[in-house]
Amino acid sequence: MGTLLEVTVYRPAGEDAAATADLRAAYEAIAEVDRRMSLYRDDSELSALNDTAGSGPVGASPALLEVLQAARRYGSLSRGAFDVTVEPLVQVWGLYFFERDELPAATQIEAARRRVGHHRIRLDVEAGTVGLEEGTHVDLGAIAKGYAVDRALARLSERGVPAALLDLGGNIGVLGTPPGESSWEIGVRHPRDTDSLLGSLRLDPGRSVATTGDYERFVEIDGERYAHVIDPRSGWPVRGIFAVTVVAPDGIAADALSTAAYVLGPRDGMALLEACAGVEGLVVTPAAENESAGLRVELTSGLLEDAPRFAASDAPGTEIMRWRGDAGDWPDDCQAASRP
Ligand code: AMP
Ligand code: MG
């Protein structure tokens, strides 16, 4: 999946061999998802599916069907901001291998845009098949990491692991709590000074966190940064937002919603997170038009009320505030989107 995996497992003293086997089991669970859903390998089930565009439908594994189904639900929940058919646009912008140094022509963007849209995936869950329209390619990069973390945690839980933390490229899931603690402390990275933290989140057992940001995967064209997330409505990479971090009941929800909120932007994205039951989040934006003027961090109410769940690290030039936007009419039942 083109990213790093970090696994932490706690076991009582003397269970070193079991802990080593735990790490291997977690890795294997992630590798299985990678073999099915990565676009960075030609032999994945997803790459093979993309090759059938225009000639399907073809049979798909239960895992791939489950993730495609969830992807479709997050697509409609986010009113099209989240769209796993963006592959042609990611390609046009050179965002798989970060190789582009000039803007794509408007005609190229337009041609790619015509190949994008959830309706171009025909999913038949009963029959277990998927058909892609001519020219349509699926990229699960915004949702498969969260799903993989969920699978690996389920594996660790079956093995009787009392406490564990998985971090797959910023998609974090936990099991239990570390010895002597009642929650986990998760650092939220500064989007420019990436060795330091903006603050930390207190994460309860069984909850997941995901971050979508512009600071790890991007291309630079004429001194401007274009990050790896595309607004499918415009065909352009999303601008003007540093990062969104989401806390959700499972990894797949955190992953999909962080990408969705990032595309929707600080106003609508935060409104969606605020509306979703069981979901919290924060958005990091430039405090002023000039990026170097500092950062603004806005948090959903649930991270501040009752027991505060975000502790700021006093990074210089950072304003921390409660999000106070217009709620809009976003649905609250986001969790239904992750359920198979
Ligand atoms: P994430 O890091 O989870 O936000 O996922 C970003 C990745 O998802 C990108 O590297 C693309 O491969 C893909 N992607 C880009 N834009 C979108 C989008 N609007 N909806 C779904 N996936 C996207
Ligand atoms: Mg995501």
Side-chain angles (χ1 to χ4, degrees):
M1 296 184 214
T3 195
L4 295 175
L5 167 67
E6 195 175 316
V7 186
T8 309
V9 164
Y10 289 89
R11 285 245 184 206
E15 294 187 9
D16 298 27
T20 305
D22 295 336
L23 299 181
R24 216 164 267 142
Y27 180 83
E28 191 38 49
I30 305 273
E32 217 171 282
V33 178
D34 184 67
R35 283 194 292 272
R36 297 209 176 280
M37 303 181 199
S38 178
L39 279 193
Y40 285 98
R41 42 195 309 164
D42 298 332
D43 61 348
S44 70
E45 185 183 359
L46 184 63
S47 294
L49 171 67
N50 284 341
D51 287 342
T52 70
S55 66
V58 291
S61 65
L64 184 57
L65 287 168
E66 185 185 339
V67 175
L68 285 171
Q69 224 182 338
R72 183 169 65 183
R73 296 204 201 98
Y74 284 107
S76 42
L77 183 75
S78 66
R79 298 174 187 157
F82 182 88
D83 189 330
V84 293
T85 65
V86 291
E87 192 267 4
L89 286 164
V90 180
Q91 206 71 264
V92 160
W93 283 93
L95 289 163
Y96 285 114
F97 297 99
F98 310 102
E99 73 272 28
R100 184 163 262 287
D101 51 21
E102 52 182 32
L103 289 176
T107 50
Q108 274 180 300
I109 298 174
E110 219 16 73
R113 228 154 70 89
R114 281 196 290 273
R115 298 164 54 198
V116 174
H118 263 276
H119 61 278
R120 301 175 61 91
I121 308 179
R122 270 164 294 122
L123 197 58
D124 187 337
V125 178
E126 307 274 88
T129 60
V130 187
L132 302 180
E133 276 183 29
E134 178 85 51
T136 294
H137 288 165
V138 173
D139 171 353
L140 295 174
I143 190 168
K145 289 193 286 289
Y147 173 77
V149 167
D150 289 343
R151 301 313 317 143
L153 283 173
R155 193 75 60 90
L156 292 179
S157 166
E158 282 158 24
R159 292 181 50 81
V161 171
L165 182 143
L166 262 101
D167 181 352
L168 179 61
N171 291 264
I172 294 170
V174 297
L175 195 64
T177 51
E181 306 284 340
S182 59
S183 60
W184 299 81
E185 200 181 308
I186 309 291
V188 177
R189 193 166 294 178
H190 192 294
R192 287 296 173 272
D193 181 7
T194 51
D195 286 333
S196 71
L197 297 179
L198 279 182
S200 63
L201 281 171
R202 210 150 50 70
L203 188 67
D204 288 332
R207 309 260 297 155
S208 298
V209 185
T211 296
T212 292
D214 74 347
Y215 48 87
E216 264 173 352
R217 303 159 73 82
F218 56 85
V219 289
E220 228 154 51
I221 302 172
D222 298 334
E224 294 275 339
R225 181 184 294 220
Y226 295 89
H228 65 145
V229 180
I230 303 275
D231 186 337
R233 302 162 299 185
S234 67
W236 279 64
V238 175
R239 316 281 308 277
I241 174 165
F242 290 135
V244 173
T245 295
V246 171
V247 183
D250 53 48
I252 200 167
D255 195 357
L257 288 171
S258 70
T259 309
Y262 189 89
V263 175
L264 287 168
R267 198 176 54 119
D268 292 338
M270 286 300 279
L272 171 65
L273 299 181
E274 188 72 73
C276 284
V279 171
E280 302 300 337
L282 59 91
V283 62
V284 188
T285 49
E289 202 141 307
N290 176 4
E291 267 202 14
S292 53
L295 306 178
R296 177 174 299 139
V297 181
E298 291 170 271
L299 303 122
T300 55
S301 53
L303 291 177
L304 293 170
E305 281 161 6
D306 304 328
R309 298 186 165 269
F310 179 79
S313 67
D314 298 322
T318 306
E319 300 170 45
I320 312 265
M321 57 182 78
R322 177 176 166 180
W323 179 78
R324 291 194 184 281
D326 177 358
D329 58 348
W330 294 94
D332 61 354
D333 191 13
C334 295
Q335 285 174 58
S338 323
R339 268 178 235 130

